Amino acid sequence: MGNHTKRIRGERKSMKTYTYSPKGVCSMKITFDVDDNGIVSNIKFTGGCNGNTQGVSALANGRNKDELITLLEGIRCGHRATSCPDQLAQALKEV
């Protein structure tokens, strides 16, 4: 986990970088930033279905972490009890 500061419209926003090891999916790692307002950015999946994880990242970028948890939690991948989007929700719940 790292910390960095970003200037947004004259304000300084503190950002933290998180790394999560997903369980039960093809993706091996999820990294993302969360600012002090709970806005998620720079979401990157390592492994998994490349097109799907890029799509999830693009759609989730800039949204509030609580909104993303509500939207993504419980999504399943085939016969699995979880999915890469669900694992992102699990990661965000730990923030």
Short mmCIF file of all heavy atoms in Angstrom, two decimals, residues 15-63:
data_model
loop_
_atom_site.label_atom_id
_atom_site.label_comp_id
_atom_site.label_asym_id
_atom_site.label_seq_id
_atom_site.Cartn_x
_atom_site.Cartn_y
_atom_site.Cartn_z
N MET A 15 -4.18 10.14 -1.83
CA MET A 15 -4.53 8.88 -2.49
C MET A 15 -3.74 7.76 -1.83
O MET A 15 -2.57 7.93 -1.52
CB MET A 15 -4.17 8.92 -3.97
CG MET A 15 -4.75 10.06 -4.75
SD MET A 15 -6.41 9.76 -5.26
CE MET A 15 -6.12 8.67 -6.61
N LYS A 16 -4.39 6.62 -1.64
CA LYS A 16 -3.69 5.44 -1.17
C LYS A 16 -3.81 4.37 -2.23
O LYS A 16 -4.87 4.20 -2.84
CB LYS A 16 -4.30 4.93 0.14
CG LYS A 16 -4.00 5.80 1.32
CD LYS A 16 -4.49 5.16 2.60
CE LYS A 16 -4.20 6.07 3.77
NZ LYS A 16 -4.71 5.51 5.03
N THR A 17 -2.74 3.65 -2.45
CA THR A 17 -2.72 2.55 -3.40
C THR A 17 -2.84 1.24 -2.63
O THR A 17 -2.14 1.04 -1.63
CB THR A 17 -1.42 2.55 -4.23
OG1 THR A 17 -1.34 3.79 -4.93
CG2 THR A 17 -1.39 1.40 -5.21
N TYR A 18 -3.74 0.38 -3.09
CA TYR A 18 -3.98 -0.91 -2.45
C TYR A 18 -3.70 -2.04 -3.43
O TYR A 18 -3.91 -1.90 -4.64
CB TYR A 18 -5.44 -1.01 -1.99
CG TYR A 18 -5.80 0.01 -0.94
CD1 TYR A 18 -6.27 1.26 -1.30
CD2 TYR A 18 -5.65 -0.28 0.41
CE1 TYR A 18 -6.59 2.20 -0.34
CE2 TYR A 18 -5.97 0.65 1.38
CZ TYR A 18 -6.44 1.89 1.01
OH TYR A 18 -6.75 2.82 1.96
N THR A 19 -3.26 -3.16 -2.89
CA THR A 19 -3.05 -4.38 -3.67
C THR A 19 -3.82 -5.50 -2.97
O THR A 19 -3.74 -5.64 -1.76
CB THR A 19 -1.56 -4.74 -3.74
OG1 THR A 19 -0.86 -3.65 -4.36
CG2 THR A 19 -1.34 -6.01 -4.56
N TYR A 20 -4.57 -6.27 -3.77
CA TYR A 20 -5.41 -7.34 -3.23
C TYR A 20 -5.13 -8.61 -4.01
O TYR A 20 -4.97 -8.58 -5.23
CB TYR A 20 -6.88 -6.95 -3.38
CG TYR A 20 -7.86 -7.94 -2.83
CD1 TYR A 20 -8.10 -8.06 -1.47
CD2 TYR A 20 -8.57 -8.77 -3.69
CE1 TYR A 20 -9.02 -8.97 -0.97
CE2 TYR A 20 -9.50 -9.68 -3.20
CZ TYR A 20 -9.71 -9.77 -1.83
OH TYR A 20 -10.63 -10.66 -1.35
N SER A 21 -5.06 -9.73 -3.31
CA SER A 21 -4.89 -11.04 -3.94
C SER A 21 -6.24 -11.73 -4.01
O SER A 21 -6.75 -12.20 -2.98
CB SER A 21 -3.90 -11.90 -3.13
OG SER A 21 -2.63 -11.32 -3.14
N PRO A 22 -6.86 -11.78 -5.20
CA PRO A 22 -8.18 -12.39 -5.34
C PRO A 22 -8.17 -13.88 -5.04
O PRO A 22 -7.14 -14.54 -5.18
CB PRO A 22 -8.54 -12.15 -6.81
CG PRO A 22 -7.55 -11.19 -7.33
CD PRO A 22 -6.35 -11.27 -6.45
N LYS A 23 -9.32 -14.38 -4.65
CA LYS A 23 -9.47 -15.81 -4.34
C LYS A 23 -10.56 -16.41 -5.22
O LYS A 23 -11.62 -15.82 -5.39
CB LYS A 23 -9.84 -15.98 -2.87
CG LYS A 23 -8.76 -15.50 -1.91
CD LYS A 23 -9.36 -15.08 -0.58
CE LYS A 23 -8.42 -14.26 0.26
NZ LYS A 23 -8.16 -12.92 -0.21
N GLY A 24 -10.29 -17.58 -5.80
CA GLY A 24 -11.30 -18.30 -6.56
C GLY A 24 -11.55 -17.83 -7.98
O GLY A 24 -12.54 -18.21 -8.59
N VAL A 25 -10.64 -16.99 -8.50
CA VAL A 25 -10.79 -16.49 -9.87
C VAL A 25 -9.45 -16.60 -10.60
O VAL A 25 -8.42 -16.89 -9.99
CB VAL A 25 -11.27 -15.02 -9.90
CG1 VAL A 25 -12.68 -14.90 -9.35
CG2 VAL A 25 -10.34 -14.10 -9.14
N CYS A 26 -9.47 -16.34 -11.90
CA CYS A 26 -8.25 -16.42 -12.71
C CYS A 26 -7.29 -15.26 -12.45
O CYS A 26 -6.08 -15.41 -12.60
CB CYS A 26 -8.61 -16.46 -14.19
SG CYS A 26 -9.63 -17.87 -14.64
N SER A 27 -7.82 -14.10 -12.09
CA SER A 27 -6.99 -12.95 -11.81
C SER A 27 -6.11 -13.23 -10.59
O SER A 27 -6.55 -13.81 -9.61
CB SER A 27 -7.87 -11.72 -11.56
OG SER A 27 -7.09 -10.60 -11.27
N MET A 28 -4.85 -12.79 -10.66
CA MET A 28 -3.89 -13.06 -9.58
C MET A 28 -3.68 -11.87 -8.66
O MET A 28 -3.21 -12.01 -7.54
CB MET A 28 -2.56 -13.47 -10.18
CG MET A 28 -2.64 -14.77 -10.98
SD MET A 28 -1.12 -15.07 -11.90
CE MET A 28 -1.29 -13.88 -13.23
N LYS A 29 -4.00 -10.64 -9.16
CA LYS A 29 -3.76 -9.45 -8.35
C LYS A 29 -4.66 -8.33 -8.85
O LYS A 29 -4.91 -8.21 -10.05
CB LYS A 29 -2.29 -9.05 -8.46
CG LYS A 29 -1.92 -7.82 -7.67
CD LYS A 29 -0.41 -7.59 -7.62
CE LYS A 29 0.13 -7.07 -8.92
NZ LYS A 29 1.53 -6.63 -8.84
N ILE A 30 -5.14 -7.50 -7.91
CA ILE A 30 -5.88 -6.29 -8.25
C ILE A 30 -5.19 -5.14 -7.51
O ILE A 30 -4.97 -5.22 -6.31
CB ILE A 30 -7.35 -6.36 -7.81
CG1 ILE A 30 -8.05 -7.59 -8.36
CG2 ILE A 30 -8.09 -5.08 -8.23
CD1 ILE A 30 -9.45 -7.84 -7.78
N THR A 31 -4.85 -4.08 -8.24
CA THR A 31 -4.32 -2.87 -7.61
C THR A 31 -5.25 -1.71 -7.95
O THR A 31 -5.85 -1.69 -9.04
CB THR A 31 -2.88 -2.54 -8.07
OG1 THR A 31 -2.87 -2.39 -9.49
CG2 THR A 31 -1.90 -3.61 -7.65
N PHE A 32 -5.38 -0.78 -7.03
CA PHE A 32 -6.25 0.37 -7.24
C PHE A 32 -5.89 1.46 -6.25
O PHE A 32 -5.26 1.21 -5.23
CB PHE A 32 -7.72 -0.02 -7.11
CG PHE A 32 -8.07 -0.68 -5.80
CD1 PHE A 32 -8.52 0.05 -4.71
CD2 PHE A 32 -7.93 -2.05 -5.65
CE1 PHE A 32 -8.82 -0.56 -3.51
CE2 PHE A 32 -8.23 -2.68 -4.45
CZ PHE A 32 -8.67 -1.92 -3.37
N ASP A 33 -6.31 2.68 -6.56
CA ASP A 33 -6.15 3.83 -5.67
C ASP A 33 -7.51 4.22 -5.13
O ASP A 33 -8.53 4.08 -5.83
CB ASP A 33 -5.58 5.03 -6.42
CG ASP A 33 -4.17 4.81 -6.96
OD1 ASP A 33 -3.47 3.92 -6.44
OD2 ASP A 33 -3.79 5.53 -7.90
N VAL A 34 -7.52 4.75 -3.91
CA VAL A 34 -8.73 5.32 -3.31
C VAL A 34 -8.33 6.65 -2.68
O VAL A 34 -7.37 6.71 -1.91
CB VAL A 34 -9.36 4.39 -2.25
CG1 VAL A 34 -10.61 5.02 -1.65
CG2 VAL A 34 -9.67 3.02 -2.83
N ASP A 35 -9.08 7.73 -3.01
CA ASP A 35 -8.76 9.02 -2.39
C ASP A 35 -9.55 9.19 -1.09
O ASP A 35 -10.34 8.33 -0.71
CB ASP A 35 -8.98 10.18 -3.38
CG ASP A 35 -10.43 10.51 -3.68
OD1 ASP A 35 -11.34 10.03 -2.97
OD2 ASP A 35 -10.67 11.26 -4.64
N ASP A 36 -9.33 10.33 -0.41
CA ASP A 36 -9.98 10.52 0.88
C ASP A 36 -11.49 10.70 0.78
O ASP A 36 -12.17 10.64 1.80
CB ASP A 36 -9.38 11.66 1.72
CG ASP A 36 -8.55 12.67 1.00
OD1 ASP A 36 -8.08 12.37 -0.08
OD2 ASP A 36 -8.37 13.77 1.55
N ASN A 37 -12.04 10.86 -0.41
CA ASN A 37 -13.49 10.92 -0.60
C ASN A 37 -14.07 9.56 -0.99
O ASN A 37 -15.26 9.47 -1.30
CB ASN A 37 -13.85 11.96 -1.67
CG ASN A 37 -13.54 13.36 -1.21
OD1 ASN A 37 -13.71 13.70 -0.04
ND2 ASN A 37 -13.06 14.19 -2.12
N GLY A 38 -13.23 8.53 -1.03
CA GLY A 38 -13.70 7.19 -1.37
C GLY A 38 -13.80 6.93 -2.87
O GLY A 38 -14.39 5.94 -3.30
N ILE A 39 -13.22 7.80 -3.69
CA ILE A 39 -13.26 7.63 -5.14
C ILE A 39 -12.13 6.69 -5.57
O ILE A 39 -10.98 6.88 -5.21
CB ILE A 39 -13.15 8.99 -5.87
CG1 ILE A 39 -14.26 9.93 -5.41
CG2 ILE A 39 -13.16 8.80 -7.39
CD1 ILE A 39 -15.68 9.40 -5.63
N VAL A 40 -12.51 5.69 -6.37
CA VAL A 40 -11.58 4.65 -6.80
C VAL A 40 -11.04 4.99 -8.20
O VAL A 40 -11.79 5.43 -9.07
CB VAL A 40 -12.30 3.28 -6.83
CG1 VAL A 40 -11.35 2.17 -7.25
CG2 VAL A 40 -12.92 2.97 -5.47
N SER A 41 -9.74 4.77 -8.39
CA SER A 41 -9.13 5.04 -9.70
C SER A 41 -7.96 4.08 -9.92
O SER A 41 -7.56 3.35 -9.02
CB SER A 41 -8.67 6.49 -9.79
OG SER A 41 -7.71 6.77 -8.79
N ASN A 42 -7.43 4.12 -11.13
CA ASN A 42 -6.24 3.33 -11.51
C ASN A 42 -6.40 1.84 -11.19
O ASN A 42 -5.48 1.21 -10.66
CB ASN A 42 -4.98 3.89 -10.85
CG ASN A 42 -4.70 5.31 -11.27
OD1 ASN A 42 -4.83 5.65 -12.44
ND2 ASN A 42 -4.37 6.15 -10.32
N ILE A 43 -7.55 1.27 -11.51
CA ILE A 43 -7.82 -0.14 -11.23
C ILE A 43 -7.11 -0.99 -12.28
O ILE A 43 -7.29 -0.78 -13.47
CB ILE A 43 -9.34 -0.42 -11.26
CG1 ILE A 43 -10.06 0.51 -10.31
CG2 ILE A 43 -9.62 -1.89 -10.95
CD1 ILE A 43 -11.54 0.65 -10.59
N LYS A 44 -6.32 -1.94 -11.80
CA LYS A 44 -5.60 -2.84 -12.71
C LYS A 44 -5.70 -4.27 -12.20
O LYS A 44 -5.42 -4.54 -11.04
CB LYS A 44 -4.14 -2.42 -12.81
CG LYS A 44 -3.96 -1.06 -13.47
CD LYS A 44 -2.52 -0.73 -13.70
CE LYS A 44 -2.29 0.60 -14.35
NZ LYS A 44 -3.22 1.64 -14.17
N PHE A 45 -6.13 -5.16 -13.08
CA PHE A 45 -6.17 -6.59 -12.79
C PHE A 45 -4.96 -7.24 -13.44
O PHE A 45 -4.64 -6.93 -14.58
CB PHE A 45 -7.43 -7.23 -13.38
CG PHE A 45 -8.71 -6.88 -12.68
CD1 PHE A 45 -9.36 -5.69 -12.95
CD2 PHE A 45 -9.27 -7.75 -11.76
CE1 PHE A 45 -10.56 -5.37 -12.33
CE2 PHE A 45 -10.46 -7.45 -11.13
CZ PHE A 45 -11.11 -6.25 -11.41
N THR A 46 -4.31 -8.15 -12.74
CA THR A 46 -3.25 -8.95 -13.32
C THR A 46 -3.82 -10.35 -13.52
O THR A 46 -4.24 -10.99 -12.55
CB THR A 46 -2.02 -9.01 -12.39
OG1 THR A 46 -1.57 -7.67 -12.16
CG2 THR A 46 -0.91 -9.84 -13.00
N GLY A 47 -3.87 -10.79 -14.77
CA GLY A 47 -4.49 -12.07 -15.09
C GLY A 47 -5.99 -11.90 -15.27
O GLY A 47 -6.52 -10.80 -15.24
N GLY A 48 -6.65 -13.01 -15.49
CA GLY A 48 -8.10 -12.95 -15.73
C GLY A 48 -8.39 -12.74 -17.20
O GLY A 48 -7.49 -12.70 -18.04
N CYS A 49 -9.65 -12.61 -17.53
CA CYS A 49 -10.09 -12.38 -18.91
C CYS A 49 -9.83 -10.92 -19.26
O CYS A 49 -10.53 -10.03 -18.78
CB CYS A 49 -11.58 -12.70 -19.05
SG CYS A 49 -11.99 -14.39 -18.59
N ASN A 50 -8.82 -10.67 -20.08
CA ASN A 50 -8.32 -9.33 -20.34
C ASN A 50 -9.41 -8.33 -20.74
O ASN A 50 -9.49 -7.24 -20.17
CB ASN A 50 -7.22 -9.39 -21.40
CG ASN A 50 -6.47 -8.09 -21.50
OD1 ASN A 50 -6.22 -7.44 -20.50
ND2 ASN A 50 -6.11 -7.71 -22.71
N GLY A 51 -10.25 -8.68 -21.67
CA GLY A 51 -11.29 -7.76 -22.11
C GLY A 51 -12.28 -7.44 -21.00
O GLY A 51 -12.67 -6.29 -20.81
N ASN A 52 -12.68 -8.46 -20.25
CA ASN A 52 -13.64 -8.25 -19.16
C ASN A 52 -13.05 -7.41 -18.04
O ASN A 52 -13.71 -6.50 -17.53
CB ASN A 52 -14.12 -9.60 -18.60
CG ASN A 52 -15.01 -10.31 -19.58
OD1 ASN A 52 -15.63 -9.72 -20.43
ND2 ASN A 52 -15.06 -11.63 -19.45
N THR A 53 -11.81 -7.70 -17.65
CA THR A 53 -11.22 -6.92 -16.56
C THR A 53 -10.93 -5.48 -16.98
O THR A 53 -11.08 -4.56 -16.17
CB THR A 53 -9.95 -7.60 -16.01
OG1 THR A 53 -9.01 -7.79 -17.07
CG2 THR A 53 -10.28 -8.93 -15.36
N GLN A 54 -10.58 -5.26 -18.25
CA GLN A 54 -10.42 -3.89 -18.74
C GLN A 54 -11.75 -3.15 -18.72
O GLN A 54 -11.81 -1.97 -18.36
CB GLN A 54 -9.87 -3.88 -20.17
CG GLN A 54 -8.41 -4.17 -20.26
CD GLN A 54 -7.92 -4.04 -21.69
OE1 GLN A 54 -8.16 -3.03 -22.34
NE2 GLN A 54 -7.26 -5.06 -22.18
N GLY A 55 -12.83 -3.85 -19.09
CA GLY A 55 -14.16 -3.25 -19.06
C GLY A 55 -14.60 -2.88 -17.65
O GLY A 55 -15.10 -1.78 -17.42
N VAL A 56 -14.40 -3.79 -16.72
CA VAL A 56 -14.75 -3.52 -15.32
C VAL A 56 -13.95 -2.32 -14.82
O VAL A 56 -14.50 -1.40 -14.20
CB VAL A 56 -14.49 -4.75 -14.42
CG1 VAL A 56 -14.58 -4.39 -12.95
CG2 VAL A 56 -15.46 -5.86 -14.75
N SER A 57 -12.66 -2.30 -15.12
CA SER A 57 -11.80 -1.19 -14.68
C SER A 57 -12.28 0.14 -15.25
O SER A 57 -12.38 1.13 -14.51
CB SER A 57 -10.35 -1.44 -15.11
OG SER A 57 -9.85 -2.60 -14.50
N ALA A 58 -12.59 0.17 -16.54
CA ALA A 58 -13.03 1.41 -17.18
C ALA A 58 -14.36 1.91 -16.60
O ALA A 58 -14.54 3.10 -16.36
CB ALA A 58 -13.15 1.21 -18.68
N LEU A 59 -15.29 1.00 -16.38
CA LEU A 59 -16.60 1.38 -15.85
C LEU A 59 -16.55 1.78 -14.38
O LEU A 59 -17.34 2.60 -13.93
CB LEU A 59 -17.60 0.25 -16.06
CG LEU A 59 -17.96 -0.03 -17.52
CD1 LEU A 59 -18.75 -1.33 -17.62
CD2 LEU A 59 -18.75 1.13 -18.11
N ALA A 60 -15.63 1.17 -13.62
CA ALA A 60 -15.54 1.44 -12.19
C ALA A 60 -14.71 2.69 -11.87
O ALA A 60 -14.90 3.31 -10.83
CB ALA A 60 -14.95 0.23 -11.47
N ASN A 61 -13.81 3.05 -12.76
CA ASN A 61 -12.91 4.17 -12.52
C ASN A 61 -13.68 5.47 -12.26
O ASN A 61 -14.59 5.82 -13.00
CB ASN A 61 -11.98 4.35 -13.73
CG ASN A 61 -10.82 5.25 -13.42
OD1 ASN A 61 -10.15 5.09 -12.41
ND2 ASN A 61 -10.56 6.21 -14.30
N GLY A 62 -13.34 6.15 -11.16
CA GLY A 62 -13.97 7.43 -10.83
C GLY A 62 -15.23 7.31 -9.99
O GLY A 62 -15.84 8.32 -9.65
N ARG A 63 -15.63 6.10 -9.64
CA ARG A 63 -16.83 5.90 -8.82
C ARG A 63 -16.46 5.74 -7.35
O ARG A 63 -15.36 5.37 -7.01
CB ARG A 63 -17.60 4.67 -9.27
CG ARG A 63 -18.25 4.83 -10.62
CD ARG A 63 -19.15 3.65 -10.86
NE ARG A 63 -19.85 3.81 -12.12
CZ ARG A 63 -21.04 3.32 -12.35
NH1 ARG A 63 -21.68 2.63 -11.43
NH2 ARG A 63 -21.63 3.49 -13.51
#
